[in-house]
Amino acid sequence: MKNTSKKGLFQPELVRAALWQSVVKLDPRQMFRNPVMFTVEVGTAIMLVVTLLSMNPAADTATLGHPGYNFVVFVLLLLTVLFANFAEAFAEARGKAQAESLRKTRKDTPARKLGADGNVTLVSSSLLRRGDRFVCEAGDIIPTDGEITEGLATIDESAITGESAPVIREAGGDKSSVTGGTKVLSDRIVVQVSVQPGESFLDKMIALVEGASRQKTPNEIALTILLAGFTIVFVIVCVTLKPFADYANTPISIAAYVSLFVCLIPTTIGGLLSAIGIAGMDRALRANVITKSGKAVETAGDLDVLLLDKTGTITIGNRKATHFYPSAGIKESEFIRYAVLSSLADETPEGKSIVELAGKEATQGLSVDGARLIKFSAETRSSGVDMSDGARIRKGAFDAIRNLAAKAGNPLPPATETQVSDIAKQGGTPLVVALNEKVVGVIELQDIIKPGIRERFERLRRMGVKTVMVTGDNPLTAKYIANVAGVDDFIAEAKPEDKMNYIRAEQEQGKLVAMMGDGTNDAPALAQADVGVAMNSGTQAAKEAGNMVDLDNDPTKLIEIVEIGKQLLMTRGTLTTFSIANDVAKYFAIVPALFMTAIPALQHLNIMRLASPESAILSAVIFNALIIPALIPLALKGVAYKPIGASALLRRNLFIYGLGGVVVPFVGIKLIDLLVAMVF
């Protein structure tokens, strides 16, 4: 999907679709959802009636005006509505184009369903239900979403992510999830279906991209109410002008009243508001992030705290065992044997690296017949084995094994504590091995901090976002990595509930918190966070709990999401500022023009020195119509964001869009007036 962003903004086929939808959206039932533009449509309808009535030779020209002039005003108001509709329709068309490309990926794929008796039957993917199992081999298209229960495979996810590089998915751990429509390139896997028909990730993705699931965000609703309030105020303003005009003995035509009303209400932001919201979600999608709601994108722009796992985010991940340090009196060969046995049930990359470091010689001849393997878990932060001869071997985090030994009345050797401290100070991760609750040695794991990560955290800091590293490492190791990486805070020896507790504590202080995760144990924290970003490779529970899904499985994507959110909020805010600032110039264009004849002193307010009342009104209406399509590219692309601090951004945008919103209409209306004066 990334390649879509390389195409030009205004693709001909999208423009054609949007032009037709602009006309379809004239339906008052659709227009009513946008109070500002609905009133403009009402004004357009009034001008159509006035134009027809003014064609009657007996019509009151003082009130109804000249039919040619009325018709021009009617056309301009109709164009204003159509331009606003086009902005929304074009934003929607871009989403629908992406949805169409995704539909080509979604096919009724044959699936090899695995029965309870082990027999395989060929069925349609539409017949698969949650809980069913199917088999996929090299060359097969995965028929629907699921979790790998057996095997390991290389999978091409380019149909979903746009990335051609294959990925590895395997049973167990946090990278067991597969998506329907992707292709198996090698090996054989057994997958358990995790969704019902029509509820697959691809189905949901299509609905979101199309805009079918889009709802107005709280900020968008609040702004809509504010704009509706402005509209009501200007209705009252225009109504009160009537008795004032009668008192001044100045007849004002209906066209002038309607034009004044349309020009003073915030039509610019009213016409672009929906397009800005749709474009925000579209930008997130082009960053390969699926957002379940526009609210999530908005919230990302206001984030205060960012929780990041150390492994795979700050560090390269897949920590590897580098050294074995047996305790005094323990042979190295024996210690390595204990380390390997305790890692046999550890499916984490760290556990596998211990077996690799030990080598084939150390692992040959090892037998676990009759033994009970204990898998690694985030809760116990340890793994191990209970041998048939009664020996209990455990390997895990320092504090977990220390507590285990302490309960059995076996104090830690001082040398072990020193060794653990030394490893931690060097940024390594110590794992302690115990035999029958007695410490027999330490394993050193090393990880590498990602290049450039410190600069990225500095960028977030300039945005006003606090970064918190979450790790299962001991405090010394965590502190070392936190200092090198440049994060603001860290949570060491973290358990799943620690993430949840930290999020709640920050939220109780009124802060907005984001978190990224991929495992089932991350699901509660992802659901609790204001912005929860799940990895596409993660478990189904994680993807359901989060309100965003990162298709690239890039843990640092949160930084980009924050920028997209801030860009959305800035775009809406700056264009609202620009729209309201426009009213100043249009006020000085129309109001003096209405009363200059009766009240010559108002000529001083005609600072643009417009040619006549008629040309002044027309010039303002023409500018009001043209500014909407002129700002469509900005609404779709978004205002450029720079991490220079909130105050600096506010000053910058007020100068550009506040002052610019006043100056541009003065210049534009004057130039249009010079052209209009040649005709009227």
Side-chain angles (χ1 to χ4, degrees):
M1 291 187 331
K2 285 184 176 181
N3 57 357
T4 57
S5 61
K6 298 178 181 179
K7 297 180 180 179
L9 183 63
F10 294 100
Q11 299 171 43
E13 61 273 17
L14 300 184
V15 172
R16 287 193 294 270
L19 286 172
W20 171 244
Q21 283 300 314
S22 304
V23 179
V24 174
K25 287 179 179 289
L26 290 174
D27 184 345
R29 292 170 297 182
Q30 293 192 47
M31 294 295 299
F32 189 75
R33 293 178 295 179
N34 188 335
V36 175
M37 298 315 301
F38 177 72
T39 56
V40 178
E41 186 176 48
V42 171
T44 307
I46 292 172
M47 285 309 304
L48 176 60
V49 174
V50 170
T51 301
L52 295 174
L53 292 176
S54 63
M55 292 179 179
N56 187 346
D60 181 8
T61 55
T63 303
L64 295 178
H66 190 275
Y69 185 83
N70 290 338
F71 179 73
V72 173
V73 173
F74 160 72
V75 171
L76 290 172
L77 295 184
L78 179 61
L79 285 174
T80 303
V81 178
L82 288 173
F83 286 150
N85 288 350
F86 177 82
E88 181 179 15
F90 185 73
E92 291 174 348
R94 297 179 82 202
K96 289 176 179 178
Q98 293 186 64
E100 190 59 36
S101 67
L102 289 171
R103 279 199 182 89
K104 294 176 182 177
T105 303
R106 185 183 63 183
K107 304 174 182 176
D108 190 11
T109 311
R112 290 186 286 174
K113 184 179 177 182
L114 187 64
D117 55 0
N119 291 327
V120 176
T121 54
L122 199 64
V123 300
S124 170
S125 59
S126 59
L127 298 177
L128 293 174
R129 298 291 185 270
R130 184 185 286 116
D132 290 343
R133 295 197 304 160
F134 60 85
V135 178
C136 279
E137 295 179 345
D140 291 347
I141 301 294
I142 297 175
T144 188
D145 299 358
E147 302 274 347
I148 299 175
T149 58
E150 296 178 26
L152 172 149
T154 305
I155 297 177
D156 177 9
E157 295 184 343
S158 59
I160 304 296
T161 66
E163 295 290 345
S164 57
V167 296
I168 296 174
R169 298 285 178 262
E170 59 184 324
D174 297 331
K175 298 192 182 296
S176 60
S177 178
V178 292
T179 306
T182 57
K183 185 177 183 180
V184 178
L185 299 179
S186 68
D187 302 294
R188 177 183 184 275
I189 52 175
V190 177
V191 182
Q192 183 171 340
V193 180
S194 57
V195 296
Q196 296 290 17
E199 298 178 359
S200 71
F201 182 73
L202 201 56
D203 290 317
K204 292 177 180 177
M205 193 170 165
I206 290 170
L208 287 163
V209 173
E210 274 187 321
S213 303
R214 191 185 107 85
Q215 296 179 337
K216 286 187 176 181
T217 65
N219 283 348
E220 196 173 344
I221 293 171
L223 184 55
T224 301
I225 294 170
L226 177 65
L227 297 180
F230 273 128
T231 303
I232 294 170
V233 168
F234 286 115
V235 167
I236 297 170
V237 168
C238 292
V239 169
T240 56
L241 279 179
K242 174 62 177 169
F244 185 80
D246 291 342
Y247 177 79
N249 196 28
T250 304
I252 299 177
S253 67
I254 295 174
Y257 278 120
V258 174
S259 298
L260 176 65
F261 170 72
V262 170
C263 287
L264 290 186
I265 64 174
T267 51
T268 305
I269 184 62
L272 297 173
L273 188 57
S274 294
I276 293 169
I278 296 169
M281 293 186 68
D282 182 64
R283 281 194 295 276
L285 181 65
R286 290 171 189 273
N288 266 12
V289 177
I290 300 298
T291 62
K292 296 181 181 180
S293 69
K295 182 182 177 181
V297 181
E298 275 189 358
T299 305
D302 284 330
L303 284 176
D304 300 297
V305 182
L306 198 58
L307 261 66
L308 298 158
D309 280 331
K310 184 202 74 172
T311 306
T313 306
I314 297 169
T315 60
I316 299 293
N318 296 348
R319 292 174 296 182
K320 290 189 175 182
T322 55
H323 290 95
F324 293 116
Y325 298 103
S327 299
I330 305 294
K331 293 181 179 179
E332 185 176 15
S333 59
E334 279 298 303
F335 174 63
I336 293 174
R337 177 174 172 271
Y338 298 145
V340 171
L341 286 170
S342 61
S343 302
L344 292 177
D346 187 355
E347 296 180 348
T348 65
E350 292 86 350
K352 293 176 181 178
S353 76
I354 292 171
V355 179
E356 290 175 6
L357 180 63
K360 292 182 179 180
E361 293 182 3
T363 57
Q364 285 177 352
L366 289 181
S367 175
V368 289
D369 292 341
R372 184 172 71 92
L373 297 175
I374 300 168
K375 291 186 177 182
F376 174 84
S377 74
E379 291 292 336
T380 63
R381 299 171 57 233
S382 65
S383 64
V385 61
D386 291 339
M387 304 296 289
S388 57
D389 60 2
R392 299 177 301 279
I393 307 172
R394 297 290 185 271
K395 176 214 70 196
F398 171 61
D399 63 311
I401 302 301
R402 180 184 59 189
N403 294 337
L404 184 69
K407 287 181 181 178
N410 299 320
L412 283 176
T416 299
E417 294 196 34
T418 303
Q419 189 65 62
V420 166
S421 179
D422 290 343
I423 293 172
K425 288 176 180 177
Q426 296 171 13
T429 300
L431 294 180
V432 183
V433 181
L435 173 66
N436 297 329
E437 293 77 46
K438 291 182 180 178
V439 172
V440 293
V442 182
I443 305 168
E444 181 181 358
L445 303 177
Q446 282 292 344
D447 207 345
I448 301 170
I449 295 173
K450 287 184 175 180
I453 198 69
R454 189 179 185 91
E455 289 73 18
R456 301 201 78 180
F457 289 144
E458 180 59 34
R459 185 177 178 87
L460 280 170
R461 195 172 293 110
R462 293 198 299 269
M463 295 180 194
V465 181
K466 176 185 176 183
T467 51
V468 181
M469 181 184 77
V470 182
T471 177
D473 293 336
N474 64 72
L476 283 173
T477 303
K479 185 179 180 180
Y480 174 87
I481 294 176
N483 289 335
V484 174
V487 296
D488 299 308
D489 198 2
F490 63 88
I491 306 171
E493 299 177 345
K495 296 179 180 178
E497 60 267 23
D498 294 332
K499 300 177 185 179
M500 175 80 78
N501 294 336
Y502 189 93
I503 292 171
R504 284 175 176 168
E506 293 290 337
Q507 289 173 333
E508 287 173 0
Q509 298 178 35
K511 297 178 180 179
L512 296 176
V513 185
M515 180 191 157
M516 188 167 250
D518 57 2
T520 301
N521 63 336
D522 292 326
L526 286 170
Q528 181 67 36
D530 299 286
V531 177
V533 186
M535 302 284 100
N536 188 41
S537 62
T539 62
Q540 190 67 25
K543 288 194 281 188
E544 289 178 357
N547 46 26
M548 292 186 180
V549 178
D550 176 26
L551 300 178
D552 293 333
N553 306 304
D554 177 10
T556 61
K557 185 64 69 67
L558 267 171
I559 299 170
E560 196 169 348
I561 291 169
V562 170
E563 292 186 347
I564 291 170
K566 288 187 178 294
Q567 190 179 37
L568 170 62
L569 294 173
M570 283 174 51
T571 303
R572 188 182 292 144
T574 51
L575 289 183
T576 300
T577 303
F578 185 87
S579 179
I580 295 173
N582 272 204
D583 293 343
V584 176
K586 288 180 281 189
Y587 176 89
F588 280 101
I590 296 179
V591 174
L594 295 176
F595 298 100
M596 276 191 303
T597 305
I599 310 174
L602 287 178
Q603 181 65 33
H604 297 293
L605 294 178
N606 185 22
I607 58 180
M608 285 180 278
R609 296 294 183 261
L610 303 178
S612 67
E614 290 79 12
S615 71
I617 293 170
L618 277 183
S619 300
V621 176
I622 292 171
F623 177 85
N624 193 64
L626 293 180
I627 196 65
I628 294 176
L631 291 174
I632 288 177
L634 184 63
L636 296 179
K637 291 182 178 179
V639 175
Y641 173 74
K642 295 182 180 179
I644 57 177
S647 299
L649 274 174
L650 180 61
R651 288 193 300 269
R652 174 178 174 268
N653 289 331
L654 280 176
F655 177 77
I656 296 175
Y657 297 96
L659 183 61
V662 175
V663 173
V664 169
F666 273 97
V667 176
I669 291 172
K670 179 61 181 177
L671 292 174
I672 295 170
D673 179 72
L674 295 174
L675 297 174
V676 171
M678 299 178 183
V679 181
F680 292 91

